[in-house]
Amino acid sequence: MIEIRKIKKVVVIAKSKYLDFLSKFGVGGAHPGGINLTKEIFKSENISTTSHILDVGCGTGQTAAYIAHKYGAKVTGIDINSIMVAKATERMKKKRLPVTIMQGSIEQTLLPANTFDFVISESVLSFVHKASAIKEIFRILKQGGRFIAIEFTINQQLGAKIEEEIKQFYGFDSCFMKKDWIALFEQAGFTNIRIQKNKSISSIPEYHYSKNIEPELYELMETHYDMNLKYKEVLDYRIYTCTK
Ligand SMILES: C[S@@+](CC[C@H](N)C(=O)[O-])C[C@H]1O[C@@H](n2cnc3c(N)ncnc32)[C@H](O)[C@@H]1O
């Protein structure tokens, strides 16, 4: 008898030097609109002290700390990067917040199914294998749970050269338009998908520097700011909310 084994397709995304820069500089609020946009979005969600919330790609933990402090909710943060995890853990300890920070990938977690009332991802999904991560987020949300994402979204198909430059620099495997995100959310089973844009809110990011920062990361920071100027109209984002 022939044994047929299912081999899981593993998509390897180039390691992002940009994420090294964010972690070594300890950039908090590393998403469009920053913490002020986060605060505004949560105002229209039904968060209470009994809510169990997961912050995916929590970075240095700015958002996770805010929700725990403001709403008294039960908050967990997960991030793949050990420097981010250390900085987020230190933040919770300093602020005496009962937030659990764990290291791991949202593409596949050990978290039990149907656990969270809310999952948040702020500028994370573009850096990962999107379909696996969205499927995993759906699995760990409770029935009726809400997924809130602030994610990089292009407004029109890009020329091949520009797209490649952006993908290479940030370590993305693709640049998604609104319709591409919606297709993945629907495929995972999400309903009630709403898309918003709020360009008027901005924040000043915070920094929590590591002791030793390689000179090349300073250069990378400059390139990042140059890219942001050069592709101001291209590097856009949307706020996606949906329900399991
Ligand atoms: C642009 S930063 C955003 C950080 C944070 N959400 C914020 O707004 O400040 C992206 C974060 O996603 C994390 N990340 C990347 N791949 C991940 C994965 N597979 N699973 C979990 N986190 C991941 C990075 O380490 C980084 O902290």
Side-chain angles (χ1 to χ4, degrees), residues 19 22 29-31 57-59 79-81 84 104-106 122-124 127-128:
L19 291 180
L22 288 182
H31 59 270
C58 63
D79 203 287
I80 200 164
N81 182 299
M84 290 298 204
S105 173
I106 190 57
E122 298 178 306
S123 259
V124 179
F127 297 96
V128 307

Side-chain angles (χ1 to χ4, degrees), residues 75-139:
V75 184
T76 303
I78 185 168
D79 203 287
I80 200 164
N81 182 299
S82 58
I83 300 173
M84 290 298 204
V85 167
K87 288 181 181 177
T89 306
E90 198 185 322
R91 181 196 295 269
M92 303 314 162
K93 209 172 148 193
K94 257 192 194 158
K95 295 196 164 193
R96 295 169 189 264
L97 287 169
V99 175
T100 306
I101 301 293
M102 53 173 67
Q103 187 172 6
S105 173
I106 190 57
E107 291 166 9
Q108 195 172 19
T109 73
L110 295 174
L111 294 161
N114 308 310
T115 301
F116 297 97
D117 302 289
F118 295 89
V119 174
I120 310 145
S121 92
E122 298 178 306
S123 259
V124 179
L125 297 181
S126 290
F127 297 96
V128 307
H129 185 248
K130 300 178 184 70
S132 311
I134 293 169
K135 219 174 134 191
E136 182 64 358
I137 288 167
F138 188 84
R139 187 186 71 79

Side-chain angles (χ1 to χ4, degrees), residues 154 157-168 174-175:
I154 53 171
Q157 217 55 63
L158 305 176
K161 212 173 144 218
I162 297 178
E163 180 161 347
E164 204 42 45
E165 190 184 345
I166 292 171
K167 277 164 46 180
Q168 281 289 327
S174 50
C175 295

Side-chain angles (χ1 to χ4, degrees), residues 87 110 142 148 172 174-175 190 193 198 202-203 212 237:
K87 288 181 181 177
L110 295 174
K142 287 180 188 164
I148 301 163
F172 299 157
S174 50
C175 295
F190 283 106
I193 303 167
N198 192 332
S202 64
S203 313
N212 299 309
Y237 74 94

